[in-house]
Amino acid sequence: MERRRLGLVLAGLVLAGGAVAVLRTAGGTTGAPDRTTPLPTALKAYAAEGVVAPGAGAPPAAPNSVTVTPGPRRLQLTWPAAAGAAGYDVSWAGGDTLVAEPAARITGLADGQDTEVRISSIDAFGQRSAPVTVTGRPSEEDLGADYPFVDRFTDDNRLDPRLWELTSANGCARVSPGPDGLLLTGPCSTASTQLRARTPFVVSAPFGADGVIGRFTVDTTDPGEDGVLDLDLVPGPVDLVGDSPSGLGIADGPDDAVDDPSLPPGAIRVRVASGVENATMSTSVIVYVAPGTARVAPVQLPVAAVPTPYGGLSVRWDVLLTTTGIRVLRNGVLAGGGNVVPQWSQATALVGFTGPSSGQLRTDLSLVAFGGERMTAPDAGAAPAVTPVSAVIPAPDAATEAVSGGAQLRLTVRGSTNGPNGTLTPNGVTPSFQVEVAGHRFAATQAIAGFPLQRQVDYPLVAQIPRNLLPANGSLSVRLLMAQPPGAAAEFSLAAAEFDAPAGSQNGPGYAQLPPRLAALTVGLADASGDPLASGQSAARGRLLLEVGMDGPAGQRLTGQIAGLTGFQVWLDGVELAAVPTTADGPGVAGQWAIAFDTNGIASGAHTIEVRSLGTARATAPDSTYLTFTLS
């Protein structure tokens, strides 16, 4: 905090967009804050004697230069940040919403019908600007003959088990109807949830002047502002492809592919990752391949910088496989690439979603499409869900039964050792695996030839199971057995297991959506000279300055929504110092405020300040934060 700025504040000049006044207003509270009665959803401005509290000034500037992007059953709007705005109020005939960033996505609209939208800026005190009105018409793009496989999830916005298999760690994710497609939710932490297409992805002879041999297109809200989107093409029967436990490299150039030892031979992964780095929000687009993958001569790609991501906006990602390398487009603009060409004609396509660091996965998926040769999902018939009885069980090799045809069981194994120098393959010998189903044993073999067994790397296996052992419905218990070579001391776990056949509906009500959160609350303290004080630090008597901040985008990032803010209260040792309402023209969202107070009448010793923010709805959880200081 700058000394000059603090000096101006303490002198009683303009602060946080409004006039500063020394108030001595009735209505303050003494004693500890009452937490036994319902919290208020409205506040009256209050400042104790000797307290300098902020007040509202001129309203914020109105939004301008709004860009309206239509999509299927939706409109997406973006605009430059408006001066003095801490958030925005967006309304239309079907509803309204508060957003913390200059972007909004309106869903559930009717294609082909004009929708009028009004947007107002909101300042730190809830004052609204004059609204700006824009109009858009939702529409669904015709992808044309270049895409023989297209799924918009418009059949009741549900996942078709004949086309897709959902795999997530410990079943943490669910699919349910979304506002304009499919909704994936779950407390998945940072584990990946992957959708496997049962329809093979097949490249074709080059079509068009750009030498395109295949397209992999996805329209989704991932990775948003804090997450990862993986678009994987793997030449083999896999359901789950994990990450390298030792971390990943960075591309040398915009069209240089990077080795990832956790990828199976021949696999191509396009990773889009967003997050905050060095206090700046950024998105990277990198193509990863297995070590040893042949490279082609790099092309100097005119890659455009990825715009600052906004939470809740859906983005179309196109992966173009061409005769000269990989091209990745974001909303039609080149965003990255890789100097590799697939050496296979057919692959398994997976769409992977990794939630934010807060751990709550919530993503919308409105389109997956393949461009290449026309293929259909195999008609493998019904199959039960798989219930593993336990982790991988050490057992000696035993005779297995031969199976001709049958149902394919896909498994993913993960191995670990007691120390970093341990090996899963002593003397180069890989453990052998078997599955036991209804008392019968069958060989579980490597799904992709040449893929080494590595510590903490997902290792795909397949086994053929006679159809007469599969129940008509319900689940099937499967044991995975392992015979380790002499000298091995490794442990294995079963990361995923399912049949390559529809196992009934994978849809459900989804996990309960977390309620909107208030903006993230922060506080800081400085002395009369403008020097920041660490919590617990000793301060000289006189004026102290408390700076309160509420980060709207950080709050919205936690749940995808932002709650209306009625204001905040400041307490010193259980005595109310100030109450600042933020509902001048309606609910506030966020902001920055400064409050100066006099310590001359306060006893020596340690003191505690609590700042508590409150929502306009009783269902909104309040937020509190504390700091301490000492007076000599």
Side-chain angles (χ1 to χ4, degrees), residues 61-80:
N64 61 72
S65 304
V66 179
T67 299
V68 182
T69 305
R73 307 176 298 282
R74 73 172 184 237
L75 293 176
Q76 300 198 126
L77 307 100
T78 57
W79 58 92

PDB file of all heavy atoms in Angstrom, residues 61-80:
ATOM      1  N   ALA A  61     -19.132   3.984 -14.446  1.00  0.00           N
ATOM      2  CA  ALA A  61     -19.393   4.154 -15.874  1.00  0.00           C
ATOM      3  C   ALA A  61     -20.179   2.963 -16.407  1.00  0.00           C
ATOM      4  O   ALA A  61     -20.062   1.842 -15.902  1.00  0.00           O
ATOM      5  CB  ALA A  61     -18.077   4.297 -16.634  1.00  0.00           C
ATOM      6  N   ALA A  62     -20.994   3.204 -17.420  1.00  0.00           N
ATOM      7  CA  ALA A  62     -21.776   2.127 -18.032  1.00  0.00           C
ATOM      8  C   ALA A  62     -20.887   1.270 -18.914  1.00  0.00           C
ATOM      9  O   ALA A  62     -19.887   1.740 -19.469  1.00  0.00           O
ATOM     10  CB  ALA A  62     -22.916   2.719 -18.853  1.00  0.00           C
ATOM     11  N   PRO A  63     -21.216  -0.009 -19.062  1.00  0.00           N
ATOM     12  CA  PRO A  63     -20.466  -0.853 -20.004  1.00  0.00           C
ATOM     13  C   PRO A  63     -20.612  -0.309 -21.423  1.00  0.00           C
ATOM     14  O   PRO A  63     -21.586   0.378 -21.757  1.00  0.00           O
ATOM     15  CB  PRO A  63     -21.142  -2.223 -19.870  1.00  0.00           C
ATOM     16  CG  PRO A  63     -21.864  -2.183 -18.573  1.00  0.00           C
ATOM     17  CD  PRO A  63     -22.280  -0.755 -18.376  1.00  0.00           C
ATOM     18  N   ASN A  64     -19.633  -0.622 -22.258  1.00  0.00           N
ATOM     19  CA  ASN A  64     -19.719  -0.229 -23.671  1.00  0.00           C
ATOM     20  C   ASN A  64     -19.031  -1.283 -24.514  1.00  0.00           C
ATOM     21  O   ASN A  64     -18.338  -2.156 -24.006  1.00  0.00           O
ATOM     22  CB  ASN A  64     -19.086   1.148 -23.901  1.00  0.00           C
ATOM     23  CG  ASN A  64     -17.612   1.174 -23.551  1.00  0.00           C
ATOM     24  OD1 ASN A  64     -16.781   0.608 -24.252  1.00  0.00           O
ATOM     25  ND2 ASN A  64     -17.279   1.816 -22.430  1.00  0.00           N
ATOM     26  N   SER A  65     -19.225  -1.185 -25.815  1.00  0.00           N
ATOM     27  CA  SER A  65     -18.594  -2.096 -26.786  1.00  0.00           C
ATOM     28  C   SER A  65     -18.862  -3.561 -26.430  1.00  0.00           C
ATOM     29  O   SER A  65     -17.954  -4.395 -26.405  1.00  0.00           O
ATOM     30  CB  SER A  65     -17.082  -1.835 -26.860  1.00  0.00           C
ATOM     31  OG  SER A  65     -16.811  -0.487 -27.180  1.00  0.00           O
ATOM     32  N   VAL A  66     -20.125  -3.875 -26.139  1.00  0.00           N
ATOM     33  CA  VAL A  66     -20.497  -5.243 -25.777  1.00  0.00           C
ATOM     34  C   VAL A  66     -20.483  -6.122 -27.020  1.00  0.00           C
ATOM     35  O   VAL A  66     -21.088  -5.797 -28.044  1.00  0.00           O
ATOM     36  CB  VAL A  66     -21.890  -5.277 -25.119  1.00  0.00           C
ATOM     37  CG1 VAL A  66     -22.269  -6.711 -24.759  1.00  0.00           C
ATOM     38  CG2 VAL A  66     -21.914  -4.386 -23.882  1.00  0.00           C
ATOM     39  N   THR A  67     -19.788  -7.240 -26.929  1.00  0.00           N
ATOM     40  CA  THR A  67     -19.768  -8.231 -28.008  1.00  0.00           C
ATOM     41  C   THR A  67     -20.742  -9.352 -27.667  1.00  0.00           C
ATOM     42  O   THR A  67     -20.673  -9.927 -26.579  1.00  0.00           O
ATOM     43  CB  THR A  67     -18.358  -8.816 -28.197  1.00  0.00           C
ATOM     44  OG1 THR A  67     -17.463  -7.764 -28.551  1.00  0.00           O
ATOM     45  CG2 THR A  67     -18.344  -9.887 -29.278  1.00  0.00           C
ATOM     46  N   VAL A  68     -21.660  -9.649 -28.576  1.00  0.00           N
ATOM     47  CA  VAL A  68     -22.649 -10.704 -28.380  1.00  0.00           C
ATOM     48  C   VAL A  68     -22.310 -11.857 -29.315  1.00  0.00           C
ATOM     49  O   VAL A  68     -22.246 -11.686 -30.531  1.00  0.00           O
ATOM     50  CB  VAL A  68     -24.074 -10.200 -28.655  1.00  0.00           C
ATOM     51  CG1 VAL A  68     -25.091 -11.312 -28.396  1.00  0.00           C
ATOM     52  CG2 VAL A  68     -24.383  -8.978 -27.804  1.00  0.00           C
ATOM     53  N   THR A  69     -22.067 -13.038 -28.740  1.00  0.00           N
ATOM     54  CA  THR A  69     -21.735 -14.226 -29.525  1.00  0.00           C
ATOM     55  C   THR A  69     -22.846 -15.253 -29.363  1.00  0.00           C
ATOM     56  O   THR A  69     -23.044 -15.795 -28.271  1.00  0.00           O
ATOM     57  CB  THR A  69     -20.402 -14.841 -29.069  1.00  0.00           C
ATOM     58  OG1 THR A  69     -19.379 -13.839 -29.123  1.00  0.00           O
ATOM     59  CG2 THR A  69     -20.024 -16.019 -29.943  1.00  0.00           C
ATOM     60  N   PRO A  70     -23.610 -15.529 -30.433  1.00  0.00           N
ATOM     61  CA  PRO A  70     -24.692 -16.508 -30.319  1.00  0.00           C
ATOM     62  C   PRO A  70     -24.156 -17.932 -30.377  1.00  0.00           C
ATOM     63  O   PRO A  70     -23.087 -18.198 -30.936  1.00  0.00           O
ATOM     64  CB  PRO A  70     -25.572 -16.208 -31.532  1.00  0.00           C
ATOM     65  CG  PRO A  70     -24.631 -15.621 -32.538  1.00  0.00           C
ATOM     66  CD  PRO A  70     -23.571 -14.893 -31.750  1.00  0.00           C
ATOM     67  N   GLY A  71     -24.875 -18.839 -29.782  1.00  0.00           N
ATOM     68  CA  GLY A  71     -24.581 -20.260 -29.821  1.00  0.00           C
ATOM     69  C   GLY A  71     -25.871 -21.026 -29.712  1.00  0.00           C
ATOM     70  O   GLY A  71     -26.956 -20.430 -29.650  1.00  0.00           O
ATOM     71  N   PRO A  72     -25.805 -22.342 -29.689  1.00  0.00           N
ATOM     72  CA  PRO A  72     -27.038 -23.116 -29.562  1.00  0.00           C
ATOM     73  C   PRO A  72     -27.704 -22.883 -28.212  1.00  0.00           C
ATOM     74  O   PRO A  72     -27.107 -23.132 -27.172  1.00  0.00           O
ATOM     75  CB  PRO A  72     -26.562 -24.571 -29.715  1.00  0.00           C
ATOM     76  CG  PRO A  72     -25.105 -24.539 -29.374  1.00  0.00           C
ATOM     77  CD  PRO A  72     -24.609 -23.198 -29.772  1.00  0.00           C
ATOM     78  N   ARG A  73     -28.890 -22.310 -28.239  1.00  0.00           N
ATOM     79  CA  ARG A  73     -29.702 -22.078 -27.043  1.00  0.00           C
ATOM     80  C   ARG A  73     -29.024 -21.134 -26.051  1.00  0.00           C
ATOM     81  O   ARG A  73     -29.310 -21.164 -24.862  1.00  0.00           O
ATOM     82  CB  ARG A  73     -30.054 -23.414 -26.351  1.00  0.00           C
ATOM     83  CG  ARG A  73     -30.687 -24.428 -27.284  1.00  0.00           C
ATOM     84  CD  ARG A  73     -30.930 -25.765 -26.630  1.00  0.00           C
ATOM     85  NE  ARG A  73     -29.710 -26.409 -26.171  1.00  0.00           N
ATOM     86  CZ  ARG A  73     -28.856 -27.048 -26.962  1.00  0.00           C
ATOM     87  NH1 ARG A  73     -29.078 -27.111 -28.267  1.00  0.00           N
ATOM     88  NH2 ARG A  73     -27.770 -27.619 -26.477  1.00  0.00           N
ATOM     89  N   ARG A  74     -28.117 -20.304 -26.519  1.00  0.00           N
ATOM     90  CA  ARG A  74     -27.394 -19.434 -25.594  1.00  0.00           C
ATOM     91  C   ARG A  74     -26.901 -18.172 -26.281  1.00  0.00           C
ATOM     92  O   ARG A  74     -26.780 -18.095 -27.504  1.00  0.00           O
ATOM     93  CB  ARG A  74     -26.200 -20.170 -25.001  1.00  0.00           C
ATOM     94  CG  ARG A  74     -25.056 -20.358 -25.978  1.00  0.00           C
ATOM     95  CD  ARG A  74     -23.814 -20.922 -25.314  1.00  0.00           C
ATOM     96  NE  ARG A  74     -22.702 -21.012 -26.245  1.00  0.00           N
ATOM     97  CZ  ARG A  74     -22.049 -22.126 -26.527  1.00  0.00           C
ATOM     98  NH1 ARG A  74     -22.384 -23.258 -25.946  1.00  0.00           N
ATOM     99  NH2 ARG A  74     -21.038 -22.114 -27.381  1.00  0.00           N
ATOM    100  N   LEU A  75     -26.597 -17.176 -25.448  1.00  0.00           N
ATOM    101  CA  LEU A  75     -25.858 -15.985 -25.865  1.00  0.00           C
ATOM    102  C   LEU A  75     -24.700 -15.805 -24.892  1.00  0.00           C
ATOM    103  O   LEU A  75     -24.858 -16.017 -23.689  1.00  0.00           O
ATOM    104  CB  LEU A  75     -26.745 -14.737 -25.829  1.00  0.00           C
ATOM    105  CG  LEU A  75     -27.899 -14.648 -26.823  1.00  0.00           C
ATOM    106  CD1 LEU A  75     -28.715 -13.389 -26.556  1.00  0.00           C
ATOM    107  CD2 LEU A  75     -27.386 -14.647 -28.266  1.00  0.00           C
ATOM    108  N   GLN A  76     -23.556 -15.413 -25.413  1.00  0.00           N
ATOM    109  CA  GLN A  76     -22.403 -15.077 -24.573  1.00  0.00           C
ATOM    110  C   GLN A  76     -22.028 -13.631 -24.839  1.00  0.00           C
ATOM    111  O   GLN A  76     -21.978 -13.192 -25.992  1.00  0.00           O
ATOM    112  CB  GLN A  76     -21.235 -16.017 -24.853  1.00  0.00           C
ATOM    113  CG  GLN A  76     -21.582 -17.470 -24.585  1.00  0.00           C
ATOM    114  CD  GLN A  76     -20.359 -18.360 -24.431  1.00  0.00           C
ATOM    115  OE1 GLN A  76     -20.229 -19.058 -23.453  1.00  0.00           O
ATOM    116  NE2 GLN A  76     -19.460 -18.361 -25.403  1.00  0.00           N
ATOM    117  N   LEU A  77     -21.781 -12.894 -23.758  1.00  0.00           N
ATOM    118  CA  LEU A  77     -21.520 -11.467 -23.864  1.00  0.00           C
ATOM    119  C   LEU A  77     -20.211 -11.131 -23.166  1.00  0.00           C
ATOM    120  O   LEU A  77     -19.947 -11.609 -22.052  1.00  0.00           O
ATOM    121  CB  LEU A  77     -22.666 -10.658 -23.235  1.00  0.00           C
ATOM    122  CG  LEU A  77     -24.078 -10.976 -23.744  1.00  0.00           C
ATOM    123  CD1 LEU A  77     -24.786 -11.898 -22.754  1.00  0.00           C
ATOM    124  CD2 LEU A  77     -24.898  -9.711 -23.947  1.00  0.00           C
ATOM    125  N   THR A  78     -19.418 -10.305 -23.781  1.00  0.00           N
ATOM    126  CA  THR A  78     -18.183  -9.792 -23.179  1.00  0.00           C
ATOM    127  C   THR A  78     -18.076  -8.303 -23.485  1.00  0.00           C
ATOM    128  O   THR A  78     -18.628  -7.821 -24.486  1.00  0.00           O
ATOM    129  CB  THR A  78     -16.935 -10.513 -23.713  1.00  0.00           C
ATOM    130  OG1 THR A  78     -16.889 -10.382 -25.147  1.00  0.00           O
ATOM    131  CG2 THR A  78     -16.959 -11.998 -23.359  1.00  0.00           C
ATOM    132  N   TRP A  79     -17.367  -7.583 -22.626  1.00  0.00           N
ATOM    133  CA  TRP A  79     -17.188  -6.155 -22.811  1.00  0.00           C
ATOM    134  C   TRP A  79     -15.963  -5.712 -22.023  1.00  0.00           C
ATOM    135  O   TRP A  79     -15.524  -6.408 -21.090  1.00  0.00           O
ATOM    136  CB  TRP A  79     -18.438  -5.393 -22.359  1.00  0.00           C
ATOM    137  CG  TRP A  79     -18.830  -5.633 -20.930  1.00  0.00           C
ATOM    138  CD1 TRP A  79     -18.458  -4.907 -19.832  1.00  0.00           C
ATOM    139  CD2 TRP A  79     -19.662  -6.699 -20.431  1.00  0.00           C
ATOM    140  NE1 TRP A  79     -19.006  -5.439 -18.691  1.00  0.00           N
ATOM    141  CE2 TRP A  79     -19.746  -6.538 -19.020  1.00  0.00           C
ATOM    142  CE3 TRP A  79     -20.330  -7.769 -21.036  1.00  0.00           C
ATOM    143  CZ2 TRP A  79     -20.480  -7.408 -18.220  1.00  0.00           C
ATOM    144  CZ3 TRP A  79     -21.057  -8.623 -20.227  1.00  0.00           C
ATOM    145  CH2 TRP A  79     -21.136  -8.445 -18.846  1.00  0.00           C
ATOM    146  N   PRO A  80     -15.366  -4.575 -22.358  1.00  0.00           N
ATOM    147  CA  PRO A  80     -14.223  -4.082 -21.571  1.00  0.00           C
ATOM    148  C   PRO A  80     -14.682  -3.705 -20.169  1.00  0.00           C
ATOM    149  O   PRO A  80     -15.819  -3.282 -19.960  1.00  0.00           O
ATOM    150  CB  PRO A  80     -13.755  -2.840 -22.352  1.00  0.00           C
ATOM    151  CG  PRO A  80     -14.357  -2.983 -23.719  1.00  0.00           C
ATOM    152  CD  PRO A  80     -15.638  -3.733 -23.544  1.00  0.00           C
TER     153      PRO A  80
END
